[in-house]
Amino acid sequence: MMIDLSLIWFGIIIFSIMMYIVMDGFDLGIGVVFPFIKDAEERDVMVNTVAPVWDGNETWLVMGGASLYGAFPLAYAVITDALAAPLTLMLIGLIFRGVAFEFRFKATPAHRPFWDKAFISGSVLATFCQGVVVGCLINGLPVSHRAYVGPELIWLDPFALFCGLGLVIAYALLGSTWLVMKTEGQLQQNMARLTIPLLAALLVVMGIVSLWTPLAHSFIATRWFSLPNLFWFLPVPVLVLVCSWGVIGSLRRGAHYSPFLLTLMLILLGFSGLGISIWPNIIPPSVSLHQAASPEMSQAFMLVGSLAIIPIILIYTFWSYYVFRGKVRTGEGYH
């Protein structure tokens, strides 16, 4: 039996995206929930919870983009052509946020508020644009003769913009539960209180998207509700409710780790719903992964290097989080 290299590379890209959501989601989420905390020392603690690891989190974004470019060049070309504006704004947000992250530690008290606002703005902009890109992919991108043929402002779509708002809420929830896990005292209590309305807002967003998607796209409705796909999709909403109830229950018990881990599961369930909706297309509604794939020789050549690099990245990631495990307290810092 021949090895399906396109399927392997699709799996690598999905894994990279999932790792990025896990690693950088709560990182960006801290910037989103920053406005809810006014105390300067507590803001320093919030930033210090990710200071040792934040710059490595975006490795997975680079990994996913490079893999898409090498393994599925048609998909890379169409996506970057159709969504150049939101992708560029996302990168600007990430860059501006990174600069603000470092500069706020060196700034004078008079200049600190400016860099705090820059940190917030960069986090929200990057997150919102990522959600817009996801919404556009669910909507589908028109392709003809291996080129994008849709309008320039296809990303200014109500559904895509709503997905951008939804991802801001999702990352904010990741950020608040991360801070419940990594902080203590008043800051932890504030984040625990903030988590409940964020969770409620996310469930509303997920419900609206779950109704909007099949109503707007008949091919997705057919995929969701036809057999045997229905049996694969049915556990997703059930598990979403179970995880949500688990987050609420763990907060009431005063648990530290469970809210974050259950929130991660909640986000990954939403991501799995996206995968079920577009599979086996890499550019919905018409371009499959095999149609967008590069030659097998190219995929095989890249696979050798990737299989060597990915374990190294995973080991480094695990070790860095292990070294900086535990609570972060006022006065502790890494700058």
Side-chain angles (χ1 to χ4, degrees), residues 167-241:
L167 194 63
V168 171
I169 295 172
Y171 280 6
L173 181 61
L174 277 174
S176 67
T177 53
W178 167 264
L179 291 170
V180 168
M181 182 176 68
K182 294 291 289 183
T183 64
E184 56 188 10
Q186 188 63 44
L187 177 58
Q188 184 191 50
Q189 294 172 19
N190 290 338
M191 288 298 108
R193 284 193 293 269
L194 181 61
T195 294
I196 300 299
L198 286 174
L199 176 62
L202 180 61
L203 290 177
V204 170
V205 167
M206 293 177 76
I208 293 174
V209 170
S210 298
L211 291 174
W212 195 337
T213 302
L215 289 175
H217 306 287
S218 57
F219 72 95
I220 291 181
T222 301
R223 177 161 298 164
W224 282 14
F225 301 114
S226 62
L227 297 176
N229 294 349
L230 180 62
F231 296 115
W232 290 102
F233 187 73
L234 191 59
V236 174
V238 175
L239 290 174
V240 165
L241 294 177

Side-chain angles (χ1 to χ4, degrees), residues 35-233:
F36 296 97
I37 301 298
K38 304 302 182 182
D39 184 79
E41 289 187 348
E42 289 186 345
R43 284 189 166 188
D44 287 343
V45 173
M46 293 169 69
V47 174
N48 280 329
T49 63
V50 292
V53 296
W54 76 274
D55 48 353
N57 292 340
E58 290 161 8
T59 302
W60 297 104
L61 181 63
V62 176
M63 181 75 187
S67 299
L68 185 67
Y69 175 79
F72 302 101
L74 174 59
Y76 182 89
V78 170
I79 292 171
T80 53
D81 186 13
L83 306 177
L87 289 172
T88 301
L89 289 173
M90 179 195 74
L91 294 175
I92 291 173
L94 291 174
I95 293 170
F96 199 50
R97 175 182 179 277
V99 172
F101 192 102
E102 298 294 340
F103 274 45
R104 69 177 303 278
F105 284 100
K106 309 296 182 182
T108 62
H111 292 160
R112 179 71 67 86
F114 170 80
W115 292 113
D116 283 350
K117 290 182 176 65
F119 180 63
I120 295 167
S121 302
S123 300
V124 173
L125 178 62
T127 303
F128 180 77
C129 290
Q130 289 175 17
V132 169
V133 170
V134 171
C136 288
L137 289 178
I138 296 174
N139 273 339
L141 301 175
V143 178
S144 178
H145 301 293
R146 300 181 63 85
Y148 172 69
V149 293
E152 293 183 1
L153 299 179
I154 191 173
W155 55 278
L156 285 179
D157 173 83
F159 179 78
L161 297 176
F162 185 78
C163 288
L165 174 63
L167 194 63
V168 171
I169 295 172
Y171 280 6
L173 181 61
L174 277 174
S176 67
T177 53
W178 167 264
L179 291 170
V180 168
M181 182 176 68
K182 294 291 289 183
T183 64
E184 56 188 10
Q186 188 63 44
L187 177 58
Q188 184 191 50
Q189 294 172 19
N190 290 338
M191 288 298 108
R193 284 193 293 269
L194 181 61
T195 294
I196 300 299
L198 286 174
L199 176 62
L202 180 61
L203 290 177
V204 170
V205 167
M206 293 177 76
I208 293 174
V209 170
S210 298
L211 291 174
W212 195 337
T213 302
L215 289 175
H217 306 287
S218 57
F219 72 95
I220 291 181
T222 301
R223 177 161 298 164
W224 282 14
F225 301 114
S226 62
L227 297 176
N229 294 349
L230 180 62
F231 296 115
W232 290 102
F233 187 73

